[in-house]
Amino acid sequence: MHPRDQTIFALSSGRPPSALAVVRVSGPQASLVLTALAGKLPAPRQASRRLLRAGADQPIDDAVVLWFPGPGSATGEDVAEFHVHGGRAVLSALLAAISDIPNMRAAEPGEFTRRAFENGKLDLTEAEGLDDLIHADTDRQRRQALRQLQGLLGDRARDWRERIIEASALIEAGIDFSDEGDVPAELMAPAVKAIRALHGEITEVLAAQGHAERLRDGLVVAVAGEPNVGKSTLINQLARRDVAIVSPHAGTTRDVIEVQLDLDGYPVTVIDTAGIRETDDPVEQEGVRRARARAEDADLVLWLVEGSPAVDVTGSPWTSGDGSGRAGGSVWVVRNKIDLGGGGGARGEFGISASRGDGIPELVDALVKFAAEYFGTSEGAVVTRARQRDLLRRASDSLRRSLELVEEGEELAAEELRAAAYALGRLLGRVDVEDVLGAIFQKFCIGK
Ligand SMILES: Nc1nc2c(ncn2[C@@H]2O[C@H](COP(=O)(O)OP(=O)(O)OP(=O)(O)O)[C@@H](O)[C@H]2O)c(=O)[nH]1
Ligand SMILES: [Mg+2]
């Protein structure tokens, strides 16, 4: 039997124990599983309370069951759902009873969604949105993922693809009917107009993206500086808990410590690093090496200093005088321990007391602003993955080339249009995507 024709099952809710748990079954045997465990088939799409049994004298749990006959189900196949009490023993008894039925198989990660995709219930951009929705940690990530799941990019790509196919049909009709080789102007003019409009729309979407794809991973902010300036204290203050060891010893932090923050819906990873100094201690040297590496890759470095503003900070490894970092990221100078006197930060600096909390709200506000600018107009972001961006860029390049080639020969222009339609087909998962499907669905949760 082809794996696609097998009936699959999985625990779709979180890790037990939990108050309730949901086990899903999808495939041709779903009704058989339901009747074997719960008696006669319940009415479609209606919750029914049943005693589940593995055999006449082996009750499993008092449960709610649901029956979704295909094709009007989430996967497009027959689907059964068991809502049981979320105890480990309940679940192992239920899963064992299901797998005892011949030809049943535990689902692979993302296999329910993959079946939904293969049955045309959602396109690939929508499946990607679904995956992002499940992994969303912050409110902005959630909203972006939900828009993608609802077809924000998919709908536009479908529309573009149809219009490209129409334009190429005009050109190809012209090629077929012209004996002299020249496609009549009444066919070419509307085709060229349509291609120009399409090229404009796709380029505009690509240009208006900011770093929207990065909203999935988050912004990386490194806290760096000399030993003992209060980097770990600042991290604890931002995280509002004790994640890093703080001590009056210079050289306390060795490992790179990461904290995930939700700043006004923006996901931000803040990194605490070892104080940067020359040292003979090999362990501390390694810490300093890692600190430099992480700070160089960061989107923003908070270069922490202490002492009065007269202290020169131009010697920091990342400030290049104009506030930009070496690796293209930004650097902010943050003057700590202002509680010890010496005034606040100088112009262009932040003045804080990491231990008392002075200046922290201002610093956090500035980080939120930075994140908002960095991610751009995430409300309007249409492209949420590098895969999507690459394919859109390919489509846009092909459209541009087809405009350039129209003069030289309609066949060449038509060829480029086919390439553009192909790129959008791949974006939607409609053509030639076997190679990417595995990579996309493997990252899904089991049971989704
Ligand atoms: N007075 C005062 N002391 C502070 C402040 N922030 C941190 N400290 C103290 O400074 C010392 C060093 O703080 P840490 O947070 O461990 O400094 P660090 O930069 O992480 O040091 P290393 O990990 O060794 O590089 C500790 O004794 C803290 O209590 C502050 O705002 N005011
Ligand atoms: Mg530290």
Coordinates of all heavy atoms in Angstrom, one line a residue, residues 232 245 252-253 272-273, ligand 2:
S232 N 25.8 41.5 32.9 CA 24.9 40.4 33.4 C 23.8 41.0 34.2 O 22.6 40.6 34.2 CB 25.7 39.4 34.2 OG 26.7 38.8 33.4
I245 N 24.8 35.0 36.2 CA 25.5 35.2 37.5 C 26.1 36.6 37.5 O 26.8 37.0 36.5 CB 26.6 34.1 37.7 CG1 26.0 32.7 37.7 CG2 27.3 34.4 39.0 CD1 27.0 31.6 37.8
T252 N 33.4 37.2 35.3 CA 32.4 36.3 35.9 C 31.8 35.5 34.7 O 31.7 34.2 34.8 CB 31.3 37.0 36.6 OG1 31.9 37.8 37.6 CG2 30.3 36.0 37.2
T253 N 31.3 36.2 33.7 CA 30.6 35.5 32.6 C 31.6 34.9 31.6 O 32.5 35.6 31.2 CB 29.7 36.5 31.9 OG1 28.8 37.0 32.9 CG2 28.8 35.7 30.8
D272 N 24.1 37.9 26.6 CA 25.1 38.3 27.6 C 26.4 37.7 27.2 O 26.5 36.5 26.8 CB 24.7 37.9 29.0 CG 25.7 38.4 30.1 OD1 26.4 39.4 29.8 OD2 25.7 37.9 31.2
T273 N 27.5 38.5 27.3 CA 28.8 37.9 26.8 C 29.8 38.2 27.9 O 29.7 39.0 28.8 CB 29.3 38.6 25.5 OG1 29.4 40.0 25.8 CG2 28.2 38.5 24.4
Ligands
MG2 MG 28.7 39.0 33.3

